[in-house]
Amino acid sequence: MPLSLSPHPNKTYTLAYITALPLELTTALTLLDDIHGIPQSQPPGDNNAYILGRIGNHNVVMTCLPAGRMGTGAAAAVGEGVRRSFVGVRVAVLVGIGGGVSCFHRGGEDVRLGDVVVGVPGGGGYGGVIQYDLGDGEGQLNAPPEKLLGYVTMVNCLLERNNCLGEVLGELGEKYAYPVHVEDRLFCSGYYHRGGGCLACGDGDRDGEIYREKRESTLPVVHVGTIASGNTVIGDGVTRDRICSRYKGSVLCFEMEAAGLVNSLPCLVVRGISDYADVHKNDEWRLRAIAAAASYAKALILHIPPEEAPQEVVQVTELVEEIKEIRGELAQVKAMLETGLSRINYSLWDLQGTKYKVWKEFFQWLLPFGFGRQQQECLKED
Ligand SMILES: [Zn+2]
């Protein structure tokens, strides 16, 4: 069923929810309390597709990278489109899946499948997201907006007291449930499966596995740290660990879009962990990881009070548009006047005698140009 135009102007949308994969967008749509429709207008140059709606007190813009597109460049283009079409958007959340870096066996974070990693400044002095495939010193990117960081801290404290992510996960439905039949196994970086058909890692060999105690709860645990972003899929433990060592062990997650987005929009990156960025893959965790990130994003959005659209930006933009319209109308009036006056001038060729003299005086007073020459030429032709 086609969506109708949103009843709300673009400028009333203050928060953007951006995903890389269609499946992530599908999940995100179920978070909306209301679906408003599509934008009332979209300027040339913005190629994004939008669905607009409401989460709690926020009018939210939802969009996804175009089909078949991935990586930082595509994400940057999406961010630019949002900026162009929605001048009221103050913050964005990039929500989806990523490859986790579990380093608890080295005294670091115990990141597990189905957990959530939020990119915040801190460890190692990085700004929340780094682009690892640029040269040294070039990968520093904009940090998330300060206000969002405050709410990340607050929501994380609340979740420590009472992990309410289960409520949102429950609302999403059974298909997003914790995959109890699929074991969450972490392997040493240099361990490669012995046979084919891995399904992380179905070869039955536990020699390369890192032992971790089972958690009491299957609810997502939220970790904050550095998210490493780049244009290639990291699917090898040795490569993963080599990159991590360049960033003082602060990296908790790998993904492919954040570096493109955070410099075009004030943005917080939220990733559900679907694998360990190594050779051992099992897609059965994808839905759970998507849902974990989405449920955290919703919890965060619900705790952020509504913010007025930036009036000064809106007003200036509206003023510019009005001036453009007025200039266009003036140009039309000018063209009409010139055409009309030209016709009047040529019609004088038919006038003679006293009557002509009166008309001549009148038109000399009225017109910005002389018409005697045209009259003489006309008489010669006769
Ligand atoms: Zn394997």
Side-chain angles (χ1 to χ4, degrees):
M1 186 172 171
L3 289 170
S4 52
L5 293 182
S6 167
H8 308 288
N10 288 11
K11 65 186 179 186
T12 62
Y13 290 84
T14 53
L15 196 148
Y17 187 117
I18 299 169
T19 70
L21 303 174
L23 196 53
E24 294 164 348
L25 180 63
T26 304
T27 309
L29 292 175
T30 63
L31 303 178
L32 288 171
D33 297 316
D34 287 321
I35 292 181
H36 294 159
I38 59 174
Q40 291 185 352
S41 64
Q42 193 163 335
D46 175 6
N47 297 320
N48 295 339
Y50 298 104
I51 294 180
L52 310 180
R54 179 182 64 82
I55 295 178
N57 293 312
H58 298 272
N59 279 355
V60 177
V61 176
M62 285 193 169
T63 188
C64 178
L65 264 62
R69 295 272 183 260
M70 60 169 66
T72 57
V78 167
E80 288 301 326
V82 171
R83 276 170 62 98
R84 193 181 292 241
S85 296
F86 298 93
V87 294
V89 165
R90 305 296 300 271
V91 292
V93 285
L94 174 64
V95 186
I97 54 175
V101 180
S102 183
C103 33
F104 93 103
H105 51 294
R106 295 192 288 265
E109 287 283 315
D110 182 13
V111 176
R112 300 197 184 188
L113 301 183
D115 280 357
V116 174
V117 172
V118 185
V120 305
Y126 302 107
V129 175
I130 52 105
Q131 184 164 3
Y132 63 83
D133 53 5
L134 291 180
D136 285 345
E138 296 173 19
Q140 278 281 24
L141 301 164
N142 289 345
E146 287 297 322
K147 187 168 183 178
L148 270 190
L149 289 176
Y151 282 103
V152 166
T153 303
M154 191 265 283
V155 167
N156 291 355
C157 290
L158 291 171
L159 289 175
E160 288 253 335
R161 278 168 52 90
N162 174 28
N163 192 332
C164 62
L165 297 183
E167 291 170 26
V168 183
L169 287 166
E171 289 170 14
L172 288 175
E174 193 59 33
K175 69 176 182 176
Y176 296 102
Y178 188 90
V180 285
H181 59 289
V182 188
E183 219 179 334
D184 172 7
R185 299 173 68 189
L186 174 67
F187 297 91
C188 298
S189 55
Y191 178 78
Y192 293 87
H193 23 253
R194 307 275 186 253
C198 169
L199 290 182
C201 188
D203 58 11
D205 188 348
R206 301 195 88 99
D207 287 349
E209 189 169 345
I210 296 167
Y211 175 75
R212 297 170 298 174
E213 278 190 19
K214 219 169 179 168
R215 284 182 183 158
E216 287 181 6
S217 169
T218 58
L219 287 174
V221 172
V222 180
H223 310 269
V224 294
T226 304
I227 288 177
S229 188
N231 285 301
T232 47
V233 177
I234 301 298
D236 173 69
V238 174
T239 307
R240 175 199 67 201
D241 286 0
R242 191 177 64 242
I243 295 169
C244 287
S245 66
R246 280 166 44 196
Y247 298 98
K248 306 171 190 171
S250 65
V251 172
L252 298 184
C253 174
F254 281 86
E255 58 84 87
M256 296 179 65
E257 286 79 27
L261 196 62
V262 295
N263 276 9
S264 56
L265 275 179
C267 182
L268 182 77
V269 185
V270 179
R271 291 295 184 192
I273 302 305
S274 60
D275 60 60
Y276 290 114
D278 59 9
V279 294
H280 311 286
K281 302 289 182 195
N282 191 335
D283 285 347
E284 301 237 10
W285 283 94
R286 283 165 67 90
L287 276 180
R288 178 65 176 185
I290 289 171
S295 63
Y296 179 81
K298 178 153 188 177
L300 180 68
I301 292 168
L302 288 177
H303 281 88
I304 301 171
E307 185 167 353
E308 287 180 7
Q311 293 301 321
E312 70 281 5
V313 176
V314 173
Q315 283 168 1
V316 168
T317 309
E318 283 177 351
L319 203 59
V320 168
E321 289 304 314
E322 279 177 26
I323 289 170
K324 281 182 188 168
E325 278 178 29
I326 291 168
R327 285 178 65 177
E329 285 168 7
L330 279 175
Q332 283 178 6
V333 170
K334 188 181 171 201
M336 285 165 65
L337 271 175
E338 284 175 354
T339 307
L341 290 175
S342 175
R343 282 182 188 155
I344 290 168
N345 186 20
Y346 279 93
S347 72
L348 289 175
W349 298 345
D350 296 332
L351 297 174
Q352 298 292 328
T354 311
K355 199 175 172 187
Y356 166 69
K357 198 178 170 191
V358 173
W359 276 107
K360 183 181 174 187
E361 285 170 0
F362 169 69
F363 281 110
Q364 276 176 339
W365 168 78
L366 175 68
L367 299 177
F369 51 85
F371 56 91
R373 190 172 56 81
Q374 288 94 326
Q375 188 211 24
Q376 290 302 321
E377 285 172 2
C378 184
L379 290 173
K380 273 185 213 163
E381 284 173 19
D382 289 343

